[in-house]
């Protein structure tokens, strides 16, 4: 039953425009950013028309992957509850567990394909249009993306659960935003004066990907994932998020009147 449901969802998504639109817009943004830097290369004393500078912008903003994961799910499944799609699927004998798992797996697969396309456009255009070596910054970028991937998957799981249990897409997005972003930011602020809270906040991916990845124009850099402790933090928090959001999602979906 799960496999058949995943096939039907994949077929529906492949024939709709939302997923393609998101990937296309993101590809256009990263390509336009590199084109702009290339155009500005002709400006005297403009030091930023390099592949290192371009790729470092995303390396220092890996939390954007979390937002893209939530946005992808919201585009693909945000209206399912409102349109009565979930009720019809349950009425046809699909278990709620399979409904949840199917949407998660399809979203993850689609997201990974889209991410690969965006990275190819981003790194490829940087290599073609901008100055300086691209291999080293591209390697750091790929390592960073892989380090952020477990919690990005967790964000997908949370977004799917929120879309299923919330009757309105806006409510689902606010649930997701609160858990992934607002709570970590609030705890980080409190942690500046309360040490135990600071420890908790330092283990939240939205915080440590923002605070523990540093690059400056001189070439000096600190990458969280280049140390065993930092990589462990990325993986442990990511897989813990997957487990926690999966358990909480299954529990809440089981109690929700669809």
């Amino acid at each position: 039953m799960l496999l058949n449901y995943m096939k039907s969802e994949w077929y529906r998504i492949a024939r709709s425009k939302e997923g393609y639109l998101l990937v296309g817009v993101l590809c256009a943004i990263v390509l336009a950013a590199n084109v702009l830097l290339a155009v500005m290369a002709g400006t005297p004393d403009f030091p930023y028309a390099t592949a290192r500078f371009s790729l470092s912008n995303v390396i220092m903003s890996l939390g954007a992957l979390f937002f893209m994961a939530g946005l992808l799910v919201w585009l693909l499944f945000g209206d399912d509850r409102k349109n009565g799609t979930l009720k019809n699927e349950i009425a046809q004998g699909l278990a709620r567990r399979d409904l949840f798992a199917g949407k998660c797996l399809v979203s993850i697969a689609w997201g990974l394909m889209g991410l690969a396309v965006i990275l190819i456009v981003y790194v490829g255009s940087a290599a073609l249009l901008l100055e300086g070596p691209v291999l080293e910054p591209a390697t750091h970028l790929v390592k960073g993306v892989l380090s952020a991937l477990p919690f990005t998957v967790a964000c997908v799981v949370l977004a799917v659960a929120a879309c299923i249990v919330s009757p309105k897409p806006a409510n689902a997005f606010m649930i997701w935003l609160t858990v992934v972003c607002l709570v970590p930011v609030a705890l980080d602020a409190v942690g500046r004066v309360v040490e135990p809270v600071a420890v908790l906040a330092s283990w939240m991916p939205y915080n440590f990907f923002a605070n523990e990845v540093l690059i400056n124009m001189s070439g000096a850099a600190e990458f969280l994932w280049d140390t065993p402790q930092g990589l462990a933090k990325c993986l442990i928090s990511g897989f813990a998020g997957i487990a926690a959001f999966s358990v909480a999602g299954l529990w809440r979906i089981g109690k929700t009147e669809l």
Side-chain angles (χ1 to χ4, degrees):
M1 194 70 175
L2 173 59
L3 185 58
N4 289 335
Y5 175 65
M6 290 176 59
K7 288 180 179 178
S8 67
E9 284 292 84
W10 185 270
Y11 179 78
R12 178 182 68 83
I13 292 170
R15 291 178 62 86
S16 62
K17 63 182 181 181
E18 289 82 2
Y20 298 106
L21 181 62
L22 178 61
V23 174
V25 168
L26 293 175
C27 285
I29 290 173
V30 297
L31 179 59
N34 285 336
V35 169
L36 179 60
L37 289 176
V39 170
M40 294 298 294
T43 303
D45 301 322
F46 184 77
Y48 305 115
T50 64
R52 180 185 298 275
F53 175 80
S54 175
L55 300 187
S56 68
N57 289 326
V58 173
I59 295 173
M60 295 183 63
S61 307
L62 288 171
L65 291 176
F66 309 153
F67 286 100
M68 293 304 102
L71 181 59
L72 174 66
V73 174
W74 187 74
L75 287 173
L76 296 181
F77 304 119
D79 290 331
D80 282 6
R81 176 79 182 273
K82 183 177 67 175
N83 295 337
T85 305
L86 302 180
K87 185 180 296 185
N88 293 336
E89 290 164 345
I90 295 298
Q92 292 173 6
L94 183 68
R96 296 183 181 219
R97 176 193 61 198
D98 291 344
L99 177 74
F100 179 47
K103 289 184 182 299
C104 288
L105 293 173
V106 169
S107 299
I108 291 167
W110 190 268
L112 290 174
M113 290 176 56
L115 178 60
V117 172
I118 295 165
L119 287 176
I120 290 171
V121 172
Y122 186 32
V123 176
S125 61
L128 291 173
L129 299 173
L130 302 177
E131 300 174 358
V134 72
L135 180 59
E136 181 183 358
T139 300
H140 290 309
L141 174 61
V142 172
K143 287 182 178 179
V145 168
L146 291 177
S147 300
L149 199 57
F151 193 73
T152 303
V153 171
C155 289
V156 169
V157 174
L158 176 61
V160 170
C163 285
I164 292 176
V165 304
S166 301
K168 296 181 179 180
N171 293 345
F173 180 75
M174 285 307 302
I175 292 171
W176 182 93
L177 184 67
T178 299
V179 175
V180 173
C181 178
L182 299 183
V183 170
V185 168
L187 290 177
D188 185 53
V190 174
R192 297 180 188 278
V193 294
V194 182
E195 181 61 29
V197 177
V199 175
L200 175 61
S202 71
W203 273 85
M204 295 187 168
Y206 187 82
N207 290 336
F208 63 68
F209 275 107
N211 299 331
E212 300 183 39
V213 180
L214 302 173
I215 304 174
N216 59 40
M217 288 303 296
S218 68
E222 294 181 14
F223 300 116
L224 174 72
W225 48 85
D226 277 348
T227 66
Q229 297 87 348
L231 181 59
K233 180 186 285 190
C234 296
L235 298 180
I236 291 171
S237 61
F239 287 111
I242 295 172
F245 297 155
S246 297
V247 171
L250 286 170
W251 173 80
R252 190 68 185 86
I253 290 168
K255 293 181 174 295
T256 299
E257 180 61 42
L258 301 178

